[in-house]
Amino acid sequence: GDSVTQTEGLVTLTKGLPVMLNCTYQTTYSPFLFWYVQHLNEAPKLLLKSSTDNKRTEHQGFYATLHKSSSSFHLQKSSVQLSDSALYFCALSDPSSGSWQLIFGSGTQLTVMP
Amino acid sequence: EAAVTQSPRNKVAVTGGKVTLSCNQTNNHNNMYWYRQDTGHGLRLIHYSYGAGSTEKGDIPDGYKASRPSQENFSLILELATPSQTSVYFCASGDRGVTLYFGSGTRLTVL
């Protein structure tokens, strides 16, 4: 079946440093990939999405590039801020399906220290 | 901003009791979803719906029922709650690959 893997459960960084959160996936179709962010006691919200191979997508200082050759959609930021502390989920969806249901990875908790 | 409202925000239930979680959306989206969130598992799909009158099983439907009486409302029903169903439940709505909008979640504790 389809799956999304996020290898880091917890990432702790000092403010101002760069970050990369890993996301790889397995699927038999050409998927849509998403990054959702969930701040403490809040609902998950969309951060980025892409279905275009090798095209960089950016939002709020975060960026990701879908690489179908390596089945990856890593999330990056050049300089993290305290407000970036949150739980980040990678997810995929089958655009040929009418349900558009998302399959989520297990999430990466990012903690930014002063 | 799209709106998805869940009730209650917190619920304590007894083992074997019936629990109903409610969700209302004002986005006029056809698709609605129920997920549960557990540490180490991310968000897992329980049931979803394509529109009023339809419900479909997701990845972990056992022990749960769903009801979609209207475009706006989608309920999750636990007929016989068990402690293993203690979790945070999220409802979401969306259409055709556009952003999924999540509610604020319901924290359910089954004693």
Side-chain angles (χ1 to χ4, degrees), chain A residues 32 34 36 38 41-46 49 87 89 97-107, chain B residues 9 31 33 35 37 40-43 45 48 50 59 90 95-100 102-104 107:
Chain A
F32 246 101
F34 303 81
Y36 276 79
Q38 184 181 23
N41 295 324
E42 295 185 8
K45 293 181 181 179
L46 180 70
K49 65 179 180 181
L87 186 56
F89 292 104
S97 162
S99 69
W100 282 99
Q101 56 180 282
L102 292 177
I103 297 171
F104 285 87
S106 56
Chain B
R9 288 299 306 272
N31 295 351
Y33 311 83
Y35 286 89
Q37 183 176 24
H41 290 281
L43 291 153
L45 183 64
Y48 62 98
Y50 291 111
D59 298 322
F90 285 98
D95 258 341
R96 294 184 294 278
V98 183
T99 306
L100 278 199
F102 285 85
S104 298
R107 185 173 297 275

Side-chain angles (χ1 to χ4, degrees), chain A residues 3-5 22-29 31 33 53 65-74 90 92:
Chain A
S3 64
V4 175
T5 301
N22 291 313
C23 173
T24 57
Y25 63 90
Q26 285 189 316
T27 183
T28 57
Y29 49 78
L33 268 293
D53 198 11
T65 302
L66 176 58
H67 291 295
K68 294 183 179 179
S69 62
S70 59
S71 299
S72 67
F73 191 56
H74 305 318
C90 184
L92 71 82

Side-chain angles (χ1 to χ4, degrees), chain A residues 47-90:
Chain A
L47 182 59
L48 294 172
K49 65 179 180 181
S50 179
S51 63
T52 305
D53 198 11
N54 297 318
K55 181 180 178 181
R56 176 164 153 161
T57 300
E58 300 188 37
H59 186 61
Q60 296 182 339
F62 287 91
Y63 59 95
T65 302
L66 176 58
H67 291 295
K68 294 183 179 179
S69 62
S70 59
S71 299
S72 67
F73 191 56
H74 305 318
L75 182 68
Q76 299 182 72
K77 191 175 186 183
S78 58
S79 175
V80 294
Q81 304 303 310
L82 295 176
S83 58
D84 294 329
S85 293
L87 186 56
Y88 292 81
F89 292 104
C90 184

Side-chain angles (χ1 to χ4, degrees), chain B:
Chain B
E1 175 80 6
V4 180
T5 305
Q6 292 183 233
S7 63
R9 288 299 306 272
N10 293 281
K11 174 73 177 179
V12 178
V14 296
T15 298
K18 182 177 180 179
V19 176
T20 301
L21 307 183
S22 300
C23 179
N24 176 275
Q25 57 110 350
T26 58
N27 310 318
N28 198 32
H29 288 154
N30 288 326
N31 295 351
M32 295 185 74
Y33 311 83
W34 277 105
Y35 286 89
R36 64 177 282 178
Q37 183 176 24
D38 303 288
T39 303
H41 290 281
L43 291 153
R44 293 180 290 174
L45 183 64
I46 306 170
H47 284 287
Y48 62 98
S49 169
Y50 291 111
S54 101
T55 61
E56 304 289 338
K57 293 181 180 179
D59 298 322
I60 53 165
D62 293 344
Y64 302 93
K65 290 184 179 180
S67 174
R68 182 89 181 268
S70 65
Q71 179 82 339
E72 297 79 18
N73 295 296
F74 191 37
S75 298
L76 185 68
I77 303 152
L78 291 66
E79 295 278 5
L80 295 170
T82 68
S84 64
Q85 294 175 313
T86 293
S87 187
V88 180
Y89 292 85
F90 285 98
C91 176
S93 74
D95 258 341
R96 294 184 294 278
V98 183
T99 306
L100 278 199
Y101 294 92
F102 285 85
S104 298
T106 295
R107 185 173 297 275
L108 173 66
T109 303
V110 182
L111 301 175

